[in-house]
Amino acid sequence: MKETAVAKTAWPRTRAMRRSAPRTAKLNVSNLLVYAAGFVVIFIVLCALMPGQIAPYSPTEMVMTDIMLPPSLTHFFGTDYYGRDVFSVVVYGSRDSLLIGLASVLIGGLLGASIGALSGFLGGIFDTVIMGFIEVLMTIPGILFALAIAAAMGPSLFNVVLAVALSAVPGYARVFRGQIISVKGRPFITAARSVGAGNLRIFFRHVLPNAWSPLLVMATIGLGTSILIGSGLSFLGLGVIKEIPDWGTLLSQGRGYLTVAWWMSTFPGLAITMLVLSVNLMGDKLRDHIDPKKSRF
Amino acid sequence: MLKKRNNWKTIIALTTALVLVLSGCAGTNKASNTDKNASPAATTDAATAAAPAKGGELTYALATSPDTLDPHRSGLAVAVRAIRTIHDNLVAQLPDGTIQPWLATEWAVSEDGLSYTFKLRQDVKFHDGTPFNAEAVKYNYDRILNPETKAANSAALIRPYKSADVIDEFTVKLNLETPSNAFLGNLSQALVSIVSPTAAQKYGDQLGKNPVGTGPFKFVSWEENSQITVERNPDYKWAPPLVANQEAPYLDKVIFKIAPEEATRIGSVQSGQVLAGETIPPQNILALEKDEKLQLFKSNTQGLPYTLFINENKAPWNELKARQALQAAIDVDAIVKTLYLGTYDRAWSPLTPGTFGYDKSLEGGVKPDLDKANALLDELGYVKGADGVRAKDGKKLTLHYVDGSPNREKRNDIAAIIQQQLKQIGIAVEVEITKDVRTVVYENGNYDIYGNSQVNSDPEALRSFYHSGAVSVGANQNLPGFKNAEVDGWIDQGLIEKDETKRQELYAKVQQAIIEQAVIIPIYVFPYTIAASKTVKDIKFDSLAYPLFNDAFIQK
């Protein structure tokens, strides 16, 4: 969250000051939830960064004598039909799931924001054409769009990231365009223009810093969606095929065994749920924090 | 042109996506031409000798939708389950491999093996009233040869059939291009069964939607992706010796429900929504065996087991030692036991145990031996690097393993296990799971290992996989890229050898040579498995493990 700190200076000072007073942290249920969510996210990020320290077993080791053991103290999440420790596989699998989420939000966000910013700032025929196109794309459900891209390009990590990212682009573009247009019409922009600031200066010094915060919220919440879509693609067999499967793949591998070994897909499923829920909770909190409506009254 | 295709790809992808989402992310599509699940040695448990009850409808859940019910045009095993109920053949093959009369009462083979004269039953009628006679037989086999029919697997089965002469109304002489020991066995297969000539002329392309045969059941209706209904043929009295009931079947109707989603299919058998369901995965077999209301019917397929073909046209697998290293490093027992939990048998030979000529002496011959595998790769000059992967002249020892999607019979999981097993001897396995096996494997030949199986009634099936003249891949090689003049000779001789013992010896030699030269890694024999309510009695199987419902009845 380094970006937040940097960007704060760019906000009009009065707003920042007014906000700090009523927002001292109080320990209530919603805050507790956010803390819990934070811990989950931190733990999962740790899993992705140093799985070797957390997982008790190798994620690829198949012990043929220990297949489909139920959860126990030696195997927290049980073992799968290859005889792998499900906990270890889930820990290692976090890396791809997180990577798909982060990378696609980054790519999708950047691409969407650029399109939206250009469109909103330039306006005119360019805006009409681009937004018309974006509207068309928005009629296609995100998961279908991602599925089509993944199916056409074939399974690889990059393609999945691209598929998920592209499916998110229209959303970012539209929100950011709206934001840019609303900021563009504010009096301080007119003021800047009247003292002779050029287009580029106005855009980068005045419009952009005042427009990006909803995008941050959207990206945080979008992270959850992206992880879900990425897992969905893997679940359908269009995802990454690697030695260490990601969560979506684990979910689909265990699906046929639900009646005989529920733990094989339940725990990866729980991991997805926990991560997405936590990220969304944090996104909600962030939205409350920088919601212009709340901060302006 | 190319652009257009890409557009189509997207459209198809989109449609597929929608279908997938709507069908609850199913995906047990079984659609390989060469590969049909099926075979003999029916291990029908239960079925106590109760008097058959007449009437009732048997609902039977299929794993995929049939492509067509025109036997001559179908390429899917799942279609044969329905085709079998509607159509009959000239002859029947028993589980022991012997050929018995069916629509033909007797036959004579000419001295040179080039013509077969069949005497036909005189009391047989098609469902539409057309009489069954020598003309009908000639019409059927000529229809398969006719390019306009667009015959699928049947075209290969009918070979080397050339023409037919109608001698009198109930005598027909079939002429062959070359002698073939496999011919009679092939004539017993459902895909070359006899359709009504009147119906075939009337419906043409659409016969597959309106099949008319002489079988124990008449076609009633086919609701796309939902169900196929057939009803009892009351005039039926020409059943094959595979079943006990020589008269019309006991059941009023058989309703094939199409249920691609595994969990749904098994769930509906357990809940009693359908009386029987096919293709039960191993983990569920174990669970269903304990279910007091259910029983399992199981029959091993015949022909070629699921086999991994090592592509000899890709270095270093052209080297015998490299292939032997794979043979010694891949622990097939562990794979079969882990994934199939003891419900599938391990395969040892390029043929399955039920097939004529199977060489039992190969059993137990290949044993996993990592030291040997390592030593062989050392000899070839591959040295383990820091990452544990062997390399020679700066080139890493990788193996490109191609398998199809969806994950049929856990074949993708076999790839995952082999990846780990070969890591131990320093081979890096890249697994490619593709929906487009046809392009990757059969057009581009881009694989080091690819696995497949084939249901067949005769060891002649070996030809299309191991004879150098068979060029299924890129029109210049067979699946393993195997070229061996001696083996070619044995396969050619096996096709015409009249002495059974000698023929057996020839095929034994073929099988031994293939295993000795580590051309393939045979993995498992597929058992066709049905789960059914205990009230369902006496589902039988033909020699290729396709279900027969002549004897079946529902106990009240």
Side-chain angles (χ1 to χ4, degrees):
Chain A
M1 297 290 110
K2 217 171 129 203
E3 287 171 67
T4 336
V6 177
K8 242 179 195 165
T9 55
W11 269 328
R13 203 167 293 145
T14 46
R15 254 218 275 160
M17 275 169 64
R18 204 187 298 167
R19 220 183 332 82
S20 61
R23 293 242 173 183
T24 35
K26 267 185 217 151
L27 220 58
N28 54 29
V29 179
S30 92
N31 275 341
L32 264 182
L33 264 179
V34 174
Y35 286 131
F39 278 121
V40 171
V41 172
I42 289 170
F43 180 70
I44 290 174
V45 169
L46 279 181
C47 285
L49 289 179
M50 39 182 214
Q53 264 71 48
I54 294 167
Y57 303 93
S58 151
T60 54
E61 192 191 359
M62 298 170 175
V63 185
M64 307 278 168
T65 47
D66 289 350
I67 54 172
M68 289 197 261
L69 297 178
S72 65
L73 282 178
T74 40
H75 299 285
F76 303 139
F77 291 180
T79 61
D80 65 7
Y81 59 88
Y82 294 119
R84 296 181 304 196
D85 179 54
V86 176
F87 179 69
S88 305
V89 185
V90 169
V91 166
Y92 275 87
S94 63
R95 188 173 280 185
D96 273 354
S97 298
L98 267 185
L99 192 71
I100 293 173
L102 280 174
S104 56
V105 161
L106 223 68
I107 296 175
L110 275 178
L111 215 64
S114 316
I115 294 174
L118 272 178
S119 190
F121 195 70
L122 294 180
I125 184 84
F126 182 79
D127 183 39
T128 316
V129 171
I130 291 288
M131 277 303 128
F133 184 63
I134 293 283
E135 301 276 318
V136 171
L137 284 186
M138 284 200 79
T139 59
I140 309 170
I143 181 89
L144 269 193
F145 193 47
L147 259 174
I149 297 170
M153 299 199 308
S156 84
L157 187 65
F158 179 73
N159 287 351
V160 169
V161 167
L162 207 63
V164 178
L166 289 183
S167 70
V169 162
Y172 290 118
R174 227 166 82 137
V175 166
F176 204 49
R177 167 183 172 271
Q179 193 62 22
I180 293 275
I181 288 177
S182 107
V183 173
K184 210 170 70 170
R186 297 252 193 95
F188 68 89
I189 301 292
T190 326
R193 210 177 280 284
S194 64
V195 296
N199 264 345
L200 276 180
R201 188 182 164 84
I202 288 178
F203 182 72
F204 284 105
R205 290 298 297 268
H206 300 287
V207 177
L208 209 56
N210 285 296
W212 67 271
S213 57
L215 201 70
L216 184 69
V217 175
M218 218 187 144
T220 322
I221 294 176
L223 184 63
T225 319
S226 296
I227 293 169
L228 263 186
I229 295 184
S231 304
L233 290 183
S234 312
F235 180 83
L236 294 172
L238 293 165
V240 204
I241 294 143
K242 285 168 76 179
E243 268 190 87
I244 303 169
D246 67 311
W247 294 346
T249 315
L250 284 175
L251 205 60
S252 105
Q253 281 178 350
R255 186 176 53 130
Y257 291 81
L258 260 180
T259 48
V260 283
W262 55 269
W263 51 91
M264 278 170 51
S265 52
T266 305
F267 287 111
L270 264 178
I272 297 176
T273 314
M274 294 294 284
L275 177 60
V276 174
L277 184 68
S278 304
V279 167
N280 281 357
L281 277 174
M282 291 174 73
D284 272 356
K285 192 73 191 169
L286 189 68
R287 186 188 57 199
D288 289 352
H289 211 70
I290 57 183
D291 188 341
K293 274 186 198 142
K294 280 195 178 167
S295 58
R296 224 182 287 148
F297 63 84
Chain B
M1 198 51 204
L2 208 70
K3 269 212 175 125
K4 228 176 195 171
R5 259 184 85 195
N6 279 339
N7 283 342
W8 273 108
K9 249 188 191 169
T10 320
I11 291 168
I12 290 168
L14 272 168
T15 323
T16 318
L18 192 65
V19 168
L20 270 174
V21 170
L22 292 182
S23 68
C25 321
T28 18
N29 240 14
K30 303 201 164 166
S32 166
N33 276 343
T34 35
D35 229 336
K36 286 174 288 131
N37 338 329
S39 180
T43 48
T44 320
D45 49 274
T48 37
K54 271 206 168 184
E57 292 176 1
L58 176 66
T59 39
Y60 189 96
L62 296 177
T64 31
S65 176
D67 48 353
T68 164
L69 294 181
D70 181 344
H72 304 156
R73 292 178 70 162
S74 174
L76 290 187
V78 70
V80 177
R81 322 249 207 262
I83 287 173
R84 232 317 148 237
T85 63
I86 306 168
H87 303 90
D88 293 334
N89 288 66
L90 281 195
V91 293
Q93 189 177 40
L94 297 194
D96 64 4
T98 56
I99 306 294
Q100 298 290 329
W102 193 346
L103 293 182
T105 51
E106 57 182 280
W107 55 90
V109 187
S110 69
E111 196 47 44
D112 57 7
L114 287 174
S115 65
Y116 288 65
T117 311
F118 290 90
K119 288 244 181 268
L120 306 177
R121 283 187 76 122
Q122 311 198 352
D123 53 354
V124 180
K125 263 202 179 89
F126 288 99
H127 301 149
D128 60 359
T130 313
F132 167 78
N133 53 28
E135 275 297 342
V137 174
K138 177 178 163 59
Y139 177 83
N140 266 270
Y141 295 159
D142 286 346
R143 179 173 186 260
I144 297 174
L145 285 195
N146 187 347
E148 273 172 37
T149 311
K150 300 199 191 79
N153 293 18
S154 58
L157 288 173
I158 199 77
R159 225 180 36 196
Y161 168 81
K162 185 169 68 181
S163 63
D165 303 324
V166 176
I167 307 240
D168 61 42
E169 197 184 352
F170 296 105
T171 314
V172 65
K173 189 172 126 201
L174 307 183
N175 304 308
L176 309 192
E177 305 265 7
T178 51
S180 166
N181 282 328
F183 188 63
L184 275 178
N186 287 350
L187 283 191
S188 77
Q189 291 202 29
L191 292 175
V192 291
S193 52
I194 309 286
V195 303
S196 159
T198 340
Q201 273 153 354
K202 180 172 153 200
Y203 295 113
D205 268 7
Q206 294 303 308
L207 183 68
K209 295 259 181 262
N210 309 278
V212 180
T214 60
F217 292 90
K218 290 181 188 178
F219 173 79
V220 178
S221 66
W222 180 355
E223 289 162 48
E224 204 67 48
N225 285 322
S226 167
Q227 62 181 42
I228 292 170
T229 309
V230 295
E231 64 177 10
R232 180 202 291 126
N233 173 9
D235 304 328
Y236 196 70
K237 49 178 186 272
W238 42 86
L242 290 158
V243 292
N245 173 22
Q246 295 295 306
E247 305 281 317
Y250 305 124
L251 296 167
D252 286 338
K253 275 180 183 170
V254 179
I255 301 167
F256 295 100
K257 299 258 185 195
I258 295 149
E261 177 62 25
E262 225 163 54
T264 318
R265 196 164 63 247
I266 295 154
S268 48
V269 180
Q270 280 175 311
S271 68
Q273 281 175 301
V274 296
L275 286 174
E278 66 164 10
T279 324
I280 309 297
Q283 70 272 21
N284 297 96
I285 293 182
L286 292 186
L288 294 182
E289 270 171 357
K290 292 185 208 125
D291 195 320
E292 280 178 7
K293 281 184 290 186
L294 299 180
Q295 58 178 328
L296 292 161
F297 295 91
K298 198 168 143 187
S299 176
N300 267 346
T301 53
Q302 208 176 87
L304 271 56
Y306 180 66
T307 309
L308 300 180
F309 298 94
I310 306 169
N311 190 351
E312 290 182 25
N313 281 352
K314 298 266 182 203
W317 315 114
N318 53 335
E319 306 250 17
L320 176 63
K321 281 180 183 168
R323 296 197 305 273
Q324 281 173 331
L326 295 181
Q327 200 176 39
I330 294 175
D331 184 351
V332 180
D333 265 332
I335 294 173
V336 176
K337 276 191 193 126
T338 308
L339 290 179
Y340 307 111
L341 309 165
T343 61
Y344 288 21
D345 293 331
R346 179 200 167 155
W348 293 97
S349 143
L351 291 175
T352 64
T355 315
F356 175 86
Y358 174 71
D359 183 17
K360 215 173 158 44
S361 72
L362 288 170
E363 289 178 13
V366 175
K367 287 193 186 68
D369 185 346
L370 289 184
D371 294 336
K372 183 183 159 196
N374 274 315
L376 284 163
L377 292 178
D378 287 341
E379 281 173 45
L380 286 174
Y382 283 94
V383 189
K384 265 191 193 173
D387 56 354
V389 178
R390 286 175 185 271
K392 183 179 167 182
D393 308 327
K395 253 196 91 186
K396 293 218 164 160
L397 183 52
T398 56
L399 187 144
H400 188 66
Y401 189 128
V402 179
D403 196 19
S405 166
N407 186 6
R408 171 178 173 189
E409 291 155 25
K410 303 189 196 300
R411 290 175 178 182
N412 294 174
D413 299 312
I414 295 177
I417 295 185
I418 286 179
Q419 188 174 45
Q420 294 307 315
Q421 291 182 342
L422 293 183
K423 204 172 161 185
Q424 294 176 306
I425 59 163
I427 299 177
V429 179
E430 306 155 355
V431 180
E432 179 183 356
I433 310 289
T434 174
K435 282 208 184 305
D436 194 7
V437 168
R438 183 147 296 281
T439 313
V440 176
V441 172
Y442 290 98
E443 282 172 27
N444 301 339
N446 188 15
Y447 60 96
D448 290 333
I449 280 191
Y450 171 68
N452 208 346
S453 62
Q454 190 184 53
V455 172
N456 214 309
S457 51
D458 194 273
E460 162 68 3
L462 292 168
R463 176 182 301 275
S464 46
F465 292 86
Y466 304 104
H467 195 285
S468 64
V471 285
S472 51
V473 176
N476 59 27
Q477 68 167 89
N478 49 35
L479 265 179
F482 180 60
K483 261 193 185 146
N484 185 306
E486 237 180 343
V487 170
D488 285 357
W490 292 328
I491 294 177
D492 289 339
Q493 186 60 32
L495 186 62
I496 49 173
E497 178 58 58
K498 281 186 181 155
D499 184 295
E500 288 226 335
T501 330
K502 278 189 191 154
R503 191 167 182 237
Q504 200 137 16
E505 279 165 16
L506 286 167
Y507 286 118
K509 281 193 215 162
V510 174
Q511 293 165 71
Q512 284 156 12
I514 288 168
I515 297 300
E516 268 163 29
Q517 299 187 33
V519 178
I520 54 163
I521 319 272
I523 307 284
Y524 65 80
V525 182
F526 179 73
Y528 179 63
T529 312
I530 307 169
S533 153
K534 281 224 166 108
T535 57
V536 177
K537 304 286 180 194
D538 287 358
I539 294 178
K540 303 265 171 80
F541 295 94
D542 76 358
S543 69
L544 298 179
Y546 292 112
L548 297 167
F549 300 99
N550 303 53
D551 292 352
F553 64 95
I554 301 161
Q555 205 172 44
K556 279 162 191 148

